[in-house]
């Protein structure tokens, strides 16, 4: 593909970019849409402000995002799906189906083949077709993924026509700063004019995880929010300056929000579970910050009794808010036998108190509320609308995008809903 960006293309002066573009080669697996008349004046940009809380949509903190929400259609009761983490919610956004169908229920699972926890960051982990590859293969339109996090980039692989290789990746966080990601998005739109883009801005989440002042002042978090808001402003300004604003619809949302805990509010389930004679030595845990995935690896004949014991013991540990079986959330078999969620202001740290030192966590119920709005310059955007009567979710993004482009549902239908309540689509 012409105009490819490489790691040498670093611009000096604070809005730098580097990355690699690749032509995707993965065919979609959804239900084909025959004789679709795609409107020629439509570009859809999905912008994920990773980890943003709905109370951070505030004119004094995020003036650009707040103004965009006010000018479009806001869903004030929006939420992530469980488990409220990055990978499952980005997978839900682009597939429109629940984790038991798309294969991505959490950031990390216990892998019986390796006998250890594994991050679901491989392209083969995502089992369902996405609107990135369906718009590309069924409609013949250019799509682009601009994902700041290394494991997100790995999960989505080459499903889009144009794929940015996130760079530079910061140590420890594994993501490219939002300045670089936004510059990549701008250059890709300028050079390739994709009809659908999917962008993750990771700074708010990554800084929030490490913000020691999170339970009180959130000093670093505030700085990250203001910078990310400025990067969104850069992209909007580019759309205006390049004459693309009137053809653009922006779906802006978070994948989850964030909660903070103090060092004393740690939950460890490994020790109490292994103290039970039936469970001793037969328990594996995949710690996901606000959620613990608990696996019984003993005799199948004892599984029903083991599950009840796990639920009873876990529910009695201070800081545990609720325990569930995976089918309650459509998570599938890979998350084990029991999922435990922590209460606000707590975090899991398994197998030891040193396993999870970060103060900012998500995955649990208090981190499911998210900002979600549809805006842009396109004539289909509903102006100044506030939809209080529905709970929009991350899983609604794919069917919303599909409706805008005239795509049908995938095989088995959508689990999400097309959020076109105030849009003029047709």
């Amino acid at each position: 593909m012409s105009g490819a960006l490489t790691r040498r293309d670093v611009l000096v002066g604070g809005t730098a970019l580097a990355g690699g573009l690749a032509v995707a080669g993965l065919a979609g697996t959804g239900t084909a849409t025959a004789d679709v008349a795609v409107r020629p004046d439509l570009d859809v940009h999905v912008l994920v402000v990773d980890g943003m809380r709905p109370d951070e949509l505030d004119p004094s903190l995020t003036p650009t995002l707040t103004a965009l929400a006010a000018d479009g259609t806001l869903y004030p009761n929006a939420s992530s799906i469980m488990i409220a983490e990055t990978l499952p919610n980005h997978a839900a956004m682009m597939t429109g189906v629940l984790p038991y169908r798309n294969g991505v229920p959490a950031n990390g699972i216990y892998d019986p083949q390796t006998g250890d926890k594994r991050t679901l960051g491989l392209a083969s982990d995502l089992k369902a077709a996405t609107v990135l590859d369906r718009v590309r293969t069924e409609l013949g339109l250019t799509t682009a993924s601009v994902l700041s996090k290394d494991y997100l980039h790995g999960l989505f692989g080459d499903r889009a026509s144009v794929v940015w290789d996130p760079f530079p990746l910061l140590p420890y966080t594994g993501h490219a700063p939002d300045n670089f990601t936004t510059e990549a998005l701008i250059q890709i739109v300028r050079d390739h004019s994709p009809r659908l883009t999917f962008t993750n801005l990771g700074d708010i989440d990554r800084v929030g995880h490490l913000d020691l002042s999170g339970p009180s002042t959130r000093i670093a978090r505030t700085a990250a929010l203001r910078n990310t808001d400025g990067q969104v402003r850069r992209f909007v300004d580019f759309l205006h300056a390049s004459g693309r604003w009137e053809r653009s619809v922006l779906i802006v949302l978070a994948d989850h929000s964030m909660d903070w805990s103090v060092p004393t509010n740690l939950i460890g389930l490994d020790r109490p579970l292994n103290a039970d004679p039936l469970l001793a030595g037969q328990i594996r845990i995949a710690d996901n910050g606000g959620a613990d995935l608990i696996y019984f690896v003993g005799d199948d004949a004892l599984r029903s009794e083991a599950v009840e014991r796990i639920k009873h013991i876990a529910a009695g540990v201070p800081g545990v808010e609720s325990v569930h079986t995976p089918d309650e959330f459509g998570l599938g078999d890979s998350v084990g036998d029991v999922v435990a969620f922590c209460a606000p202001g707590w975090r899991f740290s398994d197998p030891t108190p040193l396993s999870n030192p970060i103060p900012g966590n998500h995955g649990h119920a208090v981190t499911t509320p998210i900002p979600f709005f549809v805006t842009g310059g396109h004539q289909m955007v509903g102006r100044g609308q506030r939809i209080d009567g529905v709970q929009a979710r991350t899983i609604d993004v794919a069917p919303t995008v599909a409706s805008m482009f005239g795509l049908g549902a995938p095989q088995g239908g959508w689990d999400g809903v097309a959020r076109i309540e105030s849009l003029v689509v047709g």
Side-chain angles (χ1 to χ4, degrees):
M1 178 170 292
S2 62
L5 304 175
T6 73
R7 291 179 184 259
R8 297 183 180 88
D9 295 327
V10 180
L11 307 180
V12 177
T15 58
L17 147 83
L21 300 178
V23 178
L26 180 65
T29 57
T31 301
T33 305
D35 301 322
V36 173
V38 181
R39 58 189 311 160
D41 66 337
L42 173 64
D43 298 334
V44 178
H45 303 289
V46 180
L47 296 177
V48 184
V49 280
D50 198 312
M52 186 176 176
R53 295 162 54 110
D55 60 0
E56 292 166 333
L57 195 63
D58 181 278
S60 66
L61 186 61
T62 52
T64 298
L65 290 165
T66 304
L68 287 171
D71 188 51
T73 300
L74 174 67
Y75 293 88
N77 300 312
S79 73
S80 66
I81 64 162
M82 281 297 200
I83 294 167
E85 292 193 290
T86 296
L87 292 178
N89 277 281
H90 282 76
M93 287 179 206
M94 288 293 102
T95 65
V97 300
L98 288 167
Y100 81 95
R101 296 175 64 189
N102 68 37
V104 187
N107 278 2
I109 63 169
Y110 168 74
D111 188 341
Q113 295 186 345
T114 64
D116 204 354
K117 180 181 174 181
R118 180 175 76 83
T119 298
L120 292 172
L122 302 175
S124 58
D125 291 327
L126 186 55
K127 308 298 185 185
T130 72
V131 287
L132 286 169
D133 46 279
R134 290 192 61 206
V135 168
R136 175 175 60 84
T137 60
E138 296 178 31
L139 302 182
L141 303 178
T142 300
T143 63
S145 63
V146 189
L147 304 172
S148 71
K149 293 182 174 180
D150 190 43
Y151 64 6
L152 269 176
H153 169 69
L155 182 70
F156 282 91
D158 290 338
R159 289 180 178 260
S161 312
V162 182
V163 178
W164 180 56
D165 181 5
F167 179 82
L169 290 176
L170 297 182
Y172 305 111
T173 70
H175 90 293
D178 288 355
N179 295 43
F180 289 78
T181 306
T182 303
E183 184 64 25
L185 174 61
I186 289 171
Q187 290 203 20
I188 287 170
V189 173
R190 178 187 294 130
D191 294 346
H192 301 279
S193 297
R195 304 294 301 280
L196 170 63
T197 68
F198 183 41
T199 300
N200 169 272
L201 299 172
D203 281 1
I204 295 172
D205 173 75
R206 289 315 198 201
V207 170
H209 276 302
L210 301 174
D211 192 346
L212 295 174
S213 68
S216 55
T217 57
R218 303 178 199 166
I219 298 171
R221 172 82 167 194
T222 297
L225 282 159
R226 287 176 174 157
N227 180 68
T228 298
D229 188 75
Q231 298 309 312
V232 175
R233 177 78 260 171
R234 283 182 60 216
F235 181 58
V236 170
D237 287 347
F238 160 75
L239 293 177
H240 278 285
S242 63
R244 292 177 168 89
W245 180 247
E246 287 72 22
R247 58 179 295 116
S248 297
V249 174
L250 278 63
I251 302 175
V252 184
L253 75 164
D255 49 347
H256 54 74
S257 56
M258 187 75 70
D259 182 40
W260 290 269
S261 60
V262 296
T264 54
N265 286 3
L266 298 180
I267 308 167
L269 296 184
D270 185 74
R271 182 172 295 180
L273 291 175
N274 278 289
D276 182 276
L278 176 66
L279 305 178
Q282 306 301 319
I283 291 295
R284 304 292 183 270
I285 299 175
D287 185 339
N288 282 262
D292 255 4
L293 314 185
I294 306 166
Y295 301 72
F296 178 69
V297 296
D299 189 340
D300 257 353
L302 302 174
R303 188 169 305 278
S304 294
E305 182 182 356
V307 167
E308 291 308 310
R309 291 201 191 189
I310 292 169
K311 292 169 68 176
H312 176 74
I313 294 169
V317 175
V320 173
E321 183 173 71
S322 62
V323 294
H324 306 267
T325 53
D327 58 357
E328 294 180 55
F329 298 103
L331 298 176
D333 297 335
S334 64
V335 297
D337 300 281
V338 175
V339 180
F341 295 107
C342 67
W346 290 77
R347 70 178 183 263
F348 288 104
S349 187
D350 277 307
T352 76
L354 301 177
S355 299
N356 180 17
I358 59 177
N361 286 272
H362 48 83
H364 46 309
V366 74
T367 64
T368 57
I370 57 171
F372 189 130
F373 55 90
V374 182
T375 189
H378 200 283
Q379 61 183 358
M380 75 166 59
V381 174
R383 302 294 170 193
Q385 301 295 313
R386 180 184 172 100
I387 310 296
D388 291 294
V390 301
Q391 185 184 44
R393 299 188 298 164
T394 52
I395 203 169
D396 296 341
V397 172
T400 302
V401 170
S403 291
M404 292 178 181
F405 281 108
L407 275 176
Q411 292 180 354
W414 301 113
D415 292 323
V417 176
R419 292 299 166 202
I420 55 175
E421 288 87 355
S422 69
L423 303 184
V424 180
V425 181

